[in-house]
Amino acid sequence: MIVFFSGTGNTKMAAQMIAELTGDRLLDLGAAYKAGDFDIHVTQGEDLGIVFPVYRWSTPRIVDEFFRKASFVTNDGKAFAPGYSYAVDVYGYFPGAEVKYLEKLMSSRFGISFDATFEVPSVANCIYVSNPPRAERQKEQIAKEAETVIDVARAVSLHSNRREAKGNLLGQLLSKATGTEEKPRPINQFRVDLTRCVSCSTCEKLCPTNTIVMENGHPAWQGGDCTECLACVHLCPAEAIDYGSISKGRRRYANPLLKTDKKEHESVGI
Ligand SMILES: Cc1cc2nc3c(=O)[nH]c(=O)nc-3n(C[C@H](O)[C@H](O)[C@H](O)COP(=O)(O)O)c2cc1C
Ligand code: SF4
Ligand code: SF4
């Protein structure tokens, strides 16, 4: 089983490619979280892969919360012991110690440590840090992501013990500050331009944490559960949502998979 979380599709692309190349099946953590379904049905001894985007040199809040609440439900009723387990982080700038953080959580919660770990470069979508790249650069970066993922999938198929997710020095240092239990919940940053919003409810449907509710035909952000995936900002078809004022005039980004896969991603919530 490959458990993945994705906001703007880069991680979904990686997880789907690994699933296709290894013949494994997928669990969309965002869709499960949105539905409040924390049971992970597994066959004893099957492979377990966790594929996630790097946020602030750590794991996304939703990934932490999901695994804190989740239970592995096995076919033999015994505690789940995967035959082979691995983690893949998908990053946009540079990685840190996020895999180490996730491993600590998986080890303390389920006694699972990873046999292999990988880092995959992708397109940076953090619109309050940088303007997402131009289309041509996006294509190059997605091609690089695909090339790296093919190599990762080969290693996974061979049950390799490559432990490659180490981050760079700066990332590791930054992880010390950000790899904490409490992660940002930035709902007061979101702004909707009512003159642009077409009341389509896409933002409400795609929000994995049910933070967005439609009020009088427009989105409102509520509760403390936002995972900062920025899917609402990037995927609003009218580009009506901003993150403070810093995202104004910046490009919106979605992995091409989400454009070709619109029906499916709407139904699963990303
Ligand atoms: C809130 C936030 C924080 C991020 N922090 C980092 C980071 O610390 N290091 C990094 O390399 N990329 C960072 N990124 C970029 C994402 O990891 C990258 O764009 C990833 O491909 C997004 O995956 P997705 O398309 O599946 O959502 C961040 C993105 C967001 C939204
Ligand atoms: S996705 Fe955009 S246009 Fe649609 S309801 Fe939300 S803010 Fe309005
Ligand atoms: S409110 Fe926006 S950024 Fe926060 S979890 Fe929902 S879709 Fe993601």
Side-chain angles (χ1 to χ4, degrees):
M1 156 146 335
I2 300 167
V3 182
F4 75 96
F5 173 69
S6 182
T8 58
N10 295 333
T11 316
K12 183 176 183 181
M13 175 186 134
Q16 272 193 359
M17 284 181 68
I18 298 169
E20 275 160 28
L21 293 163
T22 59
D24 208 347
R25 66 207 166 97
L26 290 164
L27 173 70
D28 181 339
L29 182 156
Y33 192 94
K34 189 171 179 69
D37 183 357
F38 296 99
D39 284 347
I40 310 174
H41 292 271
V42 284
T43 302
Q44 192 58 266
E46 75 169 279
D47 290 0
L48 174 70
I50 302 173
V51 189
F52 67 99
V54 179
Y55 288 179
R56 297 175 188 246
W57 302 282
S58 188
T59 43
R61 227 174 78 77
I62 192 172
V63 172
D64 302 354
E65 288 299 315
F66 180 80
F67 284 113
R68 281 186 196 127
K69 291 181 184 161
S71 308
F72 286 99
V73 181
T74 51
N75 55 326
D76 63 3
K78 294 184 182 155
F80 179 48
Y84 174 74
S85 65
Y86 61 97
V88 181
D89 75 43
V90 177
Y91 66 92
Y93 305 98
F94 55 92
E98 52 283 336
V99 166
K100 211 163 137 193
Y101 182 84
L102 178 66
E103 189 159 36
K104 212 164 127 196
L105 176 64
M106 296 303 288
S107 166
S108 65
R109 183 78 182 79
F110 305 108
I112 292 173
S113 50
F114 301 128
D115 296 302
T117 64
F118 306 94
E119 288 163 348
V120 172
S122 186
V123 181
N125 69 348
C126 193
I127 200 163
Y128 63 78
V129 171
S130 61
N131 194 0
R134 290 176 195 283
E136 208 42 44
R137 184 79 186 119
Q138 284 181 25
K139 263 194 203 155
E140 289 166 16
Q141 291 180 331
I142 288 166
K144 178 77 187 151
E145 174 179 352
E147 191 187 310
T148 313
V149 172
I150 289 169
D151 177 55
V152 168
R154 280 205 194 104
V156 167
S157 301
L158 297 169
H159 284 187
S160 142
N161 289 110
R162 280 163 47 185
R163 287 188 64 98
E164 293 173 351
K166 297 196 169 82
N168 71 11
L169 200 57
L170 179 60
Q172 284 170 10
L173 281 174
L174 291 163
S175 298
K176 285 196 200 300
T178 57
T180 53
E181 288 213 359
E182 259 316 297
K183 291 184 174 161
R185 308 158 190 246
I187 55 168
N188 55 1
Q189 295 291 339
F190 297 108
R191 311 266 182 276
V192 61
D193 180 344
L194 300 184
T195 62
R196 297 183 86 144
C197 173
V198 294
S199 304
C200 65
S201 302
T202 301
C203 49
E204 182 189 49
K205 283 185 216 145
L206 61 77
C207 175
T209 57
N210 296 316
T211 299
I212 300 177
V213 285
M214 296 300 282
E215 280 178 4
N216 304 318
H218 302 297
W221 284 259
Q222 61 174 32
D225 225 12
C226 171
T227 190
E228 256 202 316
C229 66
L230 303 185
C232 51
V233 175
H234 285 290
L235 304 180
C236 164
E239 299 192 5
I241 301 176
D242 271 296
Y243 189 97
S245 56
I246 200 161
S247 60
K248 282 200 186 304
R250 290 190 168 176
R251 285 175 208 100
R252 278 13 183 195
Y253 171 74
N255 184 286
L257 173 75
L258 296 192
K259 293 169 196 156
T260 53
D261 213 13
K262 199 160 184 292
K263 275 213 174 88
E264 192 204 333
H265 86 253
E266 276 175 2
S267 71
V268 297
I270 69 161

